[in-house]
Amino acid sequence: MTENNASMPDWEKRFRAPRVGLPEWAEDAPDRSLFVSNATGTFELYAWDRATGAQRQVTDRPNGTTDGVLTPDGEWIWWFSDTDGDEFGVWMRQPFGGGADEPAAPGLAPSYPAGLALLRGGGAVVGRSTDDEGSSVHVVRPGAEPVEIYRSRESAGVGDVSRDGELIAIEHTEHGDAMHSALRVVRGDGSVVAELDDTEGGTRELGLAVLGFAPGEGDPRLLVGHQRRDRWEPMVWNPVTGETSDLPVDLPGDVAAEWCPDGTALLVSHSHQARSELWRHELADGRMTRLETPQGTVSGATARPDGTVEYLWSSAAEPPVVRSTTGAVVLDPPGMRAPASVPVSDVWVDGPGGRVHALVQRPAGEGPFPTVFDIHGGPTWHDSDAFAAQPAAWVDHGFAVVRVNYRGSTGYGREWTDALKHRVGLIELEDVAAVRAWAVESGLADPERLVLTGGSWGGYLTLLGVGTQPEAWSVGIAVVPVADYVTAYEDEMDALKAMDRTLLGGTPQEVPERYEASSPITYVDAVRAPVYISAGVNDPRCPIRQVENYVERLQGRGHPHEVYRYDAGHGSLVVEERIKQVRLEMEFAQRHLG
């Protein structure tokens, strides 16, 4: 360790330590892989030739790059090029061995990405979304103009393409429920092969998800995720014959899967109560074999042609590592290692909608502690027993950290996720309030030193919380938040408009009272806690104008607040920028908590 590293605080080391993502491998050239790393201080794409061990940086952009995919033959790397994090752009491609970038899908104008499936022999099926035209799907072949095969005003995207390129699976929400997709399989000319719609035209809240076509040549079977038993689990659907094969897995919680390369088995990912594990499911007889992984969270996994499985694992205490079922570490980035943190403990609290699960990290010493309620985004997401540098930074500074999997979170059954309707924001905050009451009554949290914070939807809940629960919170720190729901709806990307219509039951013109009740700006004059806001000026998800509206209201009443604006989108991929933001947030909290 250098002298500079020796004097660096642990919380900064966790951000700066080189990290790697799970390598993706080319289906027909498995020695060629692509992964994401922050080795240069910015998250970028890297190519890795396993046969020679050679690695090279593929992209190099000021605000980073994380979206990339290998062609099946491993000859090309496709990557998405936006402008300073605005998520609006075009697909580019670069030879695997290096060379100049070139447009990967010439003829397609810039858009938001909505799925991508690469064809053998060149070309791709490209999903797009624009605010003016909605969603569309295009077949791109070498030397030919792109052919549009699908269009809808509602959200839709490319799920996968069959190995022979004959069948294309599209996830769509033409029924108007953006939280529950239906499936359509079409041919390359757009003609419909089959439909699968568990929503029954939008009358039932049952979603479907494309998990991938079978790997065999000429095999039309599609692995599908469904919610027919009130959780996510897989089944096999043959869109040509219409036959479905149920794959009941006797495990609690949500179950996802992918094909093993030989098509005889599935790699099953099982998530339950904020932790996850891996299994192998034999299609012939349904036999399940658990793959040994430590307790914690598997953030991604892939079955290799040699029968091994590679997976990205971490826990709240232990930094992420890419492992193999052989026992080996697959990728070991050079340089400084991220220091460990403290483990989480599980807390279950009775809330108005049922038992609420929270994850708690405690600093050294005796409570009550100053406590940070770090609220996850999504909202259809969940906090898990996984390594996260920001909560660990709060713990290093003497704070307890509480993360709440409120109603709307995934991983606790369909009913828990789908409870988030119409009283948006207010429902989640009821669950946060129940856990807050436990934290104070148990002696964990000092009620005079409580920080409410979060990013994206968590930032939205932060601003809504300090307005609707003004006595409960000492400081509010909102990162890339929704602050003015009506203005956010006007400016946000089209796919999020569809989600808001689903969550709130219509547009701001159709249900104005719901948008008003769920908007932080409605309650801005009731806010008592000092407020810190950070926002990306290019953010298409939580656009800057609606943040400025909220800030103007705080300024108008002379309320203590600070705003940090940065030149990127919905978060930053630059390590030093992230460190700067976390430092500003902690300094704000410490200053106002005394």
Side-chain angles (χ1 to χ4, degrees):
M1 180 180 293
T2 67
E3 186 64 31
N4 185 44
N5 287 347
S7 62
M8 187 186 302
D10 280 355
W11 76 267
E12 291 188 25
K13 290 178 185 176
R14 294 192 193 97
F15 282 96
R16 291 196 175 98
R19 285 191 283 159
V20 293
L22 181 71
E24 173 199 335
W25 50 276
E27 293 178 6
D28 300 335
D31 279 344
R32 294 191 168 188
S33 293
L34 184 70
F35 64 91
V36 175
S37 176
N38 67 337
T40 64
T42 302
F43 284 92
E44 297 285 2
L45 295 169
Y46 288 77
W48 174 28
D49 188 332
R50 297 177 186 235
T52 65
Q55 297 178 9
R56 70 172 187 88
Q57 185 175 340
V58 175
T59 54
D60 184 8
R61 303 193 304 150
N63 284 295
T65 316
T66 58
D67 293 338
V69 63
L70 285 164
T71 55
D73 61 9
E75 291 295 320
W76 293 89
I77 297 166
W78 285 50
W79 60 273
F80 192 76
S81 175
D82 64 353
T83 302
D84 296 330
D86 66 358
E87 301 181 45
F88 194 84
V90 298
W91 286 100
M92 302 292 288
R93 70 173 191 167
Q94 181 184 129
F96 181 84
D101 292 309
E102 62 183 44
L108 290 181
S111 67
Y112 298 111
L116 175 72
L118 299 183
L119 299 167
R120 283 169 171 77
V125 183
V126 181
R128 303 171 64 254
S129 172
T130 66
D131 296 334
D132 296 331
E133 299 178 342
S135 304
S136 60
V137 174
H138 306 255
V139 175
V140 178
R141 299 189 186 278
E145 289 295 312
V147 176
E148 181 181 302
I149 62 168
Y150 177 88
R151 180 170 292 277
S152 174
R153 280 303 314 173
E154 301 294 340
S155 295
V158 176
D160 196 17
V161 63
S162 61
R163 182 180 179 88
D164 59 13
E166 294 296 317
L167 302 177
I168 299 163
I170 296 172
E171 294 182 5
H172 70 85
T173 59
E174 294 170 9
H175 47 275
D177 181 351
M179 292 182 70
H180 302 93
S181 294
L183 304 185
R184 178 173 299 151
V185 173
V186 301
R187 299 197 183 276
D189 60 0
S191 59
V192 176
V193 175
E195 306 264 8
L196 197 60
D197 181 9
D198 281 5
T199 75
E200 297 178 5
T203 61
R204 302 184 68 194
E205 294 182 332
L206 294 174
L208 296 167
V210 172
L211 301 179
F213 276 104
E217 193 71 40
D219 190 340
R221 293 177 301 163
L222 182 65
L223 190 61
V224 171
H226 69 91
Q227 297 179 300
R228 296 174 180 178
R229 282 184 287 269
D230 294 326
R231 62 168 188 168
W232 283 107
E233 54 188 322
M235 67 178 180
V236 175
W237 174 42
N238 187 327
V240 175
T241 66
E243 178 186 6
T244 59
S245 301
D246 205 4
L247 300 170
V249 177
D250 188 20
L251 295 170
D254 286 337
V255 178
E258 68 171 49
W259 296 94
C260 291
D262 64 3
T264 66
L266 302 178
L267 174 61
V268 172
S269 175
H270 169 229
S271 175
H272 182 54
Q273 297 183 354
R275 292 168 181 86
S276 54
E277 59 183 3
L278 298 174
W279 295 73
R280 179 182 169 95
H281 177 97
E282 304 294 341
L283 289 170
D285 57 12
R287 180 166 48 92
M288 292 277 288
T289 304
R290 187 180 183 277
L291 306 181
E292 290 302 320
T293 60
Q295 178 171 297
T297 296
V298 176
S299 300
T302 182
R304 294 275 295 165
D306 62 3
T308 64
V309 172
E310 296 176 352
Y311 60 94
L312 179 63
W313 175 90
S314 72
S315 71
E318 295 297 324
V321 59
V322 181
R323 297 182 180 274
S324 168
T325 48
T326 64
V329 172
V330 176
L331 274 176
D332 189 17
M336 178 173 57
R337 297 292 191 256
S341 185
V342 300
V344 293
S345 58
D346 297 84
V347 173
W348 291 87
V349 177
D350 288 328
R355 298 271 283 171
V356 184
H357 188 200
L359 301 174
V360 177
Q361 289 174 282
R362 300 169 183 260
E366 297 294 326
F369 303 103
T371 300
V372 173
F373 275 69
D374 188 357
I375 309 303
H376 72 74
T380 50
W381 189 250
H382 68 271
D383 276 316
S384 60
D385 182 7
F387 195 78
Q390 185 152 342
W394 287 109
V395 173
D396 284 0
H397 286 77
F399 289 80
V401 176
V402 180
R403 291 180 283 170
V404 181
N405 284 331
Y406 50 76
R407 277 171 289 173
S409 301
T410 54
Y412 300 86
R414 182 176 62 84
E415 184 178 345
W416 190 258
T417 303
D418 288 348
L420 184 59
K421 290 287 181 68
H422 299 175
R423 293 182 59 248
V424 171
L426 306 173
I427 288 172
E428 304 95 293
L429 287 170
E430 290 175 353
D431 295 341
V432 172
V435 178
R436 179 200 178 278
W438 165 85
V440 172
E441 293 165 5
S442 69
L444 172 75
D446 180 348
E448 302 302 318
R449 295 185 294 168
L450 285 175
V451 179
L452 184 61
T453 187
S456 190
W457 197 265
Y460 158 64
L461 293 178
T462 295
L463 294 184
L464 190 63
V466 296
T468 60
Q469 302 168 351
E471 306 290 334
W473 307 106
S474 310
V475 172
I477 300 174
V479 178
V480 291
V482 173
D484 171 359
Y485 218 137
V486 173
T487 304
Y489 181 88
E490 293 172 355
D491 293 354
E492 69 193 3
M493 57 201 302
D494 198 58
L496 293 184
K497 286 185 172 70
M499 179 62 77
D500 285 340
R501 291 194 297 270
T502 296
L503 290 174
L504 290 154
T507 67
Q509 292 72 37
E510 293 166 340
V511 286
E513 72 285 354
R514 291 179 182 169
Y515 281 82
E516 181 180 12
S518 293
S519 182
I521 204 168
T522 302
Y523 311 97
V524 65
D525 291 337
V527 174
R528 295 182 57 180
V531 175
Y532 178 93
I533 298 174
S534 67
V537 297
N538 305 314
D539 191 344
R541 298 173 181 267
C542 299
I544 192 68
R545 182 168 71 105
Q546 51 94 28
V547 172
E548 302 292 8
N549 290 349
Y550 187 90
V551 171
E552 287 177 11
R553 292 285 298 275
L554 290 177
Q555 290 173 334
R557 54 182 287 236
H559 186 77
H561 70 282
E562 291 182 18
V563 184
Y564 176 70
R565 304 167 182 85
Y566 59 94
D567 188 19
H570 198 60
S572 177
L573 299 175
V574 180
V575 171
E576 291 303 321
E577 175 62 31
R578 287 293 300 123
I579 291 172
K580 178 182 180 180
Q581 292 179 20
V582 173
R583 182 183 292 114
L584 290 171
E585 293 164 19
M586 291 191 297
E587 289 175 349
F588 183 86
Q590 291 169 323
R591 187 162 60 250
H592 287 283
L593 293 177

